Amino acid sequence: MEANNFIEEIINTELGEGVCEGVHTRFPPEPNGYLHIGHAKSLCLNFGTAKKYDGLCNLFFDDTNPSKEKTEYVEAIKADIEWLGFKWHEVHYASDFFDEIYERAVKLIKDGKAFVCDLKADEISAMRGTLTEPGKESPYRNRSIEENLKLFTEMKDGKYADGEKVLRAKIDMSSPNINMRDPVIYRVLRAHHHRTGDKWCIYPMYDFAHPLCDSMQGVTHSLCTLEFEDHRPLYNWVVENTGVAHKPRQIEFARLNITNTVMSKRYLKKLVEDGAVRGWDDPRMPTLTGLRSRGVPAEALKNFCEAIGIAKANSEIEITYFEHFIRDYLNAHAERAMAVFEPLKVTISNFPDGNEMEEFDVNPNDETAGKRQISMSKHIYIEQEDFALVPPPKYFRLKKDGYVRLKNAYIIRCDDVILNEDGSVKELICSYVPESRSGNDTSGIKVKGVIHWVNADDAVDCEIRKYDYLLKDAEYSGQDFSERMNYDSVHVYNGKAEPYLSSVQEGTSFQLLRKGYYKKVTEGDKLVLSEIVSLKDGYKPNK
Ligand code: ATP
Ligand code: MG
């Protein structure tokens, strides 16, 4: 099997040497918030690697931190993964393994490899030492095995207050790796757990629970982000010293960072709590539920994750690169339609009364999409922006005495301009060229501009929403996120849309000609066209 990244190289070597027999991964979210684009990278990696090697991938909820975790998040995480189209082998929760994790801790005590420590959290960190200085051993380090067993049982039985005692692994206070300096592996914490309720008042620490849970699930390759690299010796120590039969291996990869985007659940949660966004599913949010409500296709997100690949060093990806994949997908799959953002009334004086039907290309990039009928009459709307009273040089849209083509219809000429009292344009009086019908143009008139339009006779009112990034650009990076917040990220326009848009299904994505990709949303009786991504590709492949 050809390796596409360094993780696959490792797997290939291991398979070749018989170190592992197959691949079993897991996606390990903590149910303390909603998933975001960064998680999509981890999902694609874990599910993708398992699939490539005909292996398995579990969904594993890392719920060792009861005070922040909720069932609401568990359900949302499952829904997001299903949206991406991934199917997990089994679902597990760290809490399912609490009994076994406890037994492994008892084994460590019996083997003289863990001790109950009475130091307070701040004393433990003060004695931990620094990168250049070793730590100091706890005065409780040499308690007898019997005493440790008794105290640990008492911790479990609720005899001690939160923070009064902890269980620590007895490793090496002078290790150059601070994580190995007698790390805390259990703490007393009275918090209601969303699954185990009040059964436990002690909880294992992530570094202790995670390798054990990996082992108990049969995980072979425990893929995590780079900040856990320093924790790997501890991961291995736990695997080696707790007597587990199955030995998983941790491999770290680079986190995904994207410009103009924040991907910490803590901050995203703050945006929701502060009311800066409508909720976790606000279309401006980088959460998977936000992207879904924005109208980003799951395939586009997966294509993006595939294209950025897996690296060993952190970097920041341009948001325009992500947008490129959204556009690329929708360009091939989305139907075309027309809507006019800031309407300008046009009367075509020589057009016959009543409606005439024109043929409209459903998707010029999809041969099978065919055509649909759109109506035209002597009253239409075009965009204010598509007419200039004082045209700049090389202006190919409409101007007085100039010609322009109406998309999928006729060439029109602007004969007269009616102004408002303030000098702004109120209405255009045009004439059309009957021989210039699209697909059968015998007029001989060459026009450079093609503009979109809607029939005023049957157009429907709509609200158009465009979005800016929630966060300002990189020049603000390093600054606190609250200072990078862009408070002007929703722009609303009143427009006119072809009636087709009110008849199609809620949630359908379109390319609004010359405007961008939009999703249809209905709010009450109101037709809302909500921007997915603009048409302008800001991504420069050779940059
Ligand atoms: P956050 O800091 O946003 O809360 P987290 O790492 O605490 O993220 P978890 O729920 O613990 O979130 O993450 C589940 C998995 O997704 C982990 O393996 C984690 O490393 C991975 N992950 C989280 N964020 C990213 C990211 N930006 N890029 C790649 N993988 C990520
Ligand atoms: Mg986490």
Side-chain angles (χ1 to χ4, degrees):
M1 200 99 61
E2 197 198 326
N4 287 327
N5 58 51
F6 77 97
I7 293 176
E8 293 180 4
E9 277 166 21
I10 293 173
I11 293 173
N12 282 350
T13 309
E14 288 182 354
L15 288 171
E17 291 171 354
V19 179
C20 76
E21 283 167 10
V23 174
H24 192 159
T25 56
R26 86 286 169 264
F27 173 68
E30 186 180 352
N32 61 352
Y34 284 66
L35 300 182
H36 50 61
I37 312 184
H39 292 115
K41 172 169 172 177
S42 175
L43 279 161
C44 290
L45 174 64
N46 280 294
F47 281 93
T49 310
K51 187 169 180 203
K52 173 161 179 174
Y53 290 93
D54 224 355
L56 305 168
C57 180
N58 285 359
L59 171 57
F60 173 69
F61 288 104
D62 165 27
D63 58 353
T64 51
N65 213 349
S67 43
K68 293 187 191 147
E69 296 155 3
K70 286 203 256 172
T71 309
E72 172 201 344
Y73 299 136
V74 167
E75 296 311 319
I77 288 169
K78 286 181 177 172
D80 285 343
I81 299 174
E82 282 167 354
W83 173 63
L84 280 175
F86 293 124
K87 297 208 180 1
W88 53 81
H89 171 55
E90 291 169 342
V91 185
H92 288 288
Y93 297 79
S95 54
D96 292 345
F97 299 114
F98 279 172
D99 287 303
E100 228 178 310
I101 297 170
Y102 177 81
E103 290 308 323
R104 297 287 162 184
V106 169
K107 176 182 162 49
L108 283 181
I109 296 174
K110 285 183 180 162
D111 292 346
K113 291 174 181 169
F115 65 99
V116 173
C117 183
D118 298 6
L119 294 175
K120 299 285 160 307
D122 53 340
E123 294 170 317
I124 291 178
S125 58
M127 290 170 73
R128 189 166 287 148
T130 63
L131 286 174
T132 49
E133 276 171 57
K136 287 199 199 68
E137 292 188 352
S138 161
Y140 304 99
R141 197 174 200 262
N142 295 314
R143 276 177 162 154
S144 70
I145 291 175
E146 290 66 35
E147 192 185 2
N148 280 320
L149 284 173
K150 174 174 154 287
L151 292 173
F152 190 48
T153 308
E154 289 174 353
M155 278 169 67
K156 179 178 78 128
D157 292 342
K159 196 164 171 203
Y160 303 108
D162 290 10
E164 200 179 328
K165 284 188 171 31
V166 292
L167 184 70
R168 297 175 70 178
K170 198 190 272 189
I171 309 181
D172 179 5
M173 287 309 289
S174 58
S175 167
N177 184 328
I178 296 181
N179 293 302
M180 299 297 273
R181 295 184 188 168
D182 294 3
V184 173
I185 58 175
Y186 258 96
R187 66 211 153 131
V188 180
L189 179 69
R190 280 175 185 74
H192 186 80
H193 190 282
H194 74 111
R195 297 189 80 240
T196 56
D198 297 317
K199 176 178 173 190
W200 295 91
C201 65
I202 56 171
Y203 290 95
M205 303 302 286
Y206 173 89
D207 279 337
F208 185 56
H210 208 83
L212 292 176
C213 292
D214 281 342
S215 168
M216 292 182 266
Q217 291 174 78
V219 166
T220 54
H221 299 86
S222 180
L223 311 178
C224 64
T225 37
L226 279 180
E227 68 273 21
F228 289 99
E229 191 170 6
D230 289 348
H231 297 239
R232 193 186 336 131
L234 179 53
Y235 184 101
N236 291 338
W237 186 91
V238 172
V239 167
E240 291 304 328
N241 288 280
T242 50
V244 293
H246 173 76
K247 295 182 177 173
R249 159 176 193 173
Q250 174 181 304
I251 306 174
E252 308 85 20
F253 63 95
R255 261 183 124 71
L256 170 63
N257 298 304
I258 302 182
T259 56
N260 297 87
T261 309
V262 61
M263 277 190 264
S264 126
K265 275 184 268 181
R266 200 167 48 88
Y267 181 73
L268 295 174
K269 193 171 183 179
K270 191 170 176 320
L271 291 178
V272 175
E273 284 165 358
D274 292 355
V277 292
R278 180 181 84 190
W280 288 96
D281 66 344
D282 187 289
R284 293 164 295 166
M285 289 281 270
T287 50
L288 300 191
T289 177
L291 297 178
R292 188 156 80 227
S293 84
R294 179 79 172 246
V296 171
E299 286 306 317
L301 180 55
K302 290 199 276 189
N303 293 343
F304 166 69
C305 289
E306 173 131 347
I308 55 178
I310 301 299
K312 275 192 243 190
N314 283 321
S315 64
E316 196 175 45
I317 307 281
E318 295 284 333
I319 185 121
T320 52
Y321 190 53
F322 176 45
E323 291 167 354
H324 170 79
F325 285 91
I326 304 172
R327 207 174 276 120
D328 197 52
Y329 184 90
L330 290 173
N331 185 29
H333 295 91
E335 284 191 17
R336 272 51 174 170
M338 296 199 284
V340 163
F341 282 30
E342 297 287 350
L344 170 61
K345 208 175 155 196
V346 175
T347 297
I348 305 170
S349 46
N350 61 339
F351 202 82
D353 288 339
N355 285 331
E356 179 183 305
M357 301 313 274
E358 313 298 341
E359 303 247 283
F360 184 80
D361 288 316
V362 174
N363 182 350
N365 288 336
D366 177 357
E367 281 174 15
T368 63
K371 299 197 185 272
R372 68 182 164 80
Q373 302 279 305
I374 58 169
S375 72
M376 177 169 173
S377 75
K378 70 190 319 171
H379 301 291
I380 63 167
Y381 292 110
I382 65 168
E383 292 210 351
Q384 289 172 16
E385 278 203 346
D386 285 331
F387 175 79
L389 207 49
V390 186
K394 298 208 172 160
Y395 188 80
F396 299 127
R397 289 169 276 166
L398 200 54
K399 54 193 170 197
K400 173 99 191 336
D401 300 326
Y403 289 90
V404 81
R405 172 171 288 284
L406 299 176
K407 181 74 186 167
N408 284 130
Y410 295 93
I411 294 173
I412 57 170
R413 175 184 192 276
C414 177
D415 302 323
D416 226 330
V417 183
I418 302 174
L419 298 181
N420 291 305
E421 274 174 16
D422 65 1
S424 60
V425 180
K426 184 178 178 192
E427 188 184 338
L428 303 179
I429 307 297
C430 296
S431 51
Y432 86 120
V433 182
E435 305 77 40
S436 67
R437 194 172 191 181
S438 279
N440 186 22
D441 181 0
T442 56
S443 69
I445 302 173
K446 293 271 170 287
V447 291
K448 285 205 170 130
V450 181
I451 63 173
H452 65 287
W453 54 280
V454 293
N455 181 0
D457 264 12
D458 60 12
V460 291
D461 289 320
C462 64
E463 179 177 308
I464 291 153
R465 291 188 197 143
K466 281 172 67 88
Y467 305 104
D468 255 342
Y469 305 124
L470 268 180
L471 276 198
K472 290 183 210 159
D473 212 346
E475 66 213 65
Y476 297 89
S477 65
Q479 288 188 19
D480 185 75
F481 283 124
S482 55
E483 286 166 43
R484 286 183 63 190
M485 188 73 188
N486 173 10
Y487 289 98
D488 187 25
S489 53
V490 184
H491 304 283
V492 177
Y493 305 84
N494 287 317
K496 298 275 187 188
E498 31 163 336
Y500 179 64
L501 288 172
S502 51
S503 71
V504 296
Q505 219 190 344
E506 175 77 10
T508 310
S509 309
F510 288 93
Q511 185 195 103
L512 293 182
L513 289 186
R514 301 177 64 230
K515 303 309 284 188
Y517 294 95
Y518 282 78
K519 173 179 160 173
K520 175 189 168 167
V521 185
T522 321
E523 286 175 9
D525 296 339
K526 193 161 67 178
L527 170 64
V528 178
L529 301 174
S530 174
E531 183 186 45
I532 305 171
V533 67
S534 71
L535 275 183
K536 203 168 137 242
D537 204 331
Y539 163 62
K540 309 263 184 314
N542 299 322
K543 205 158 79 172

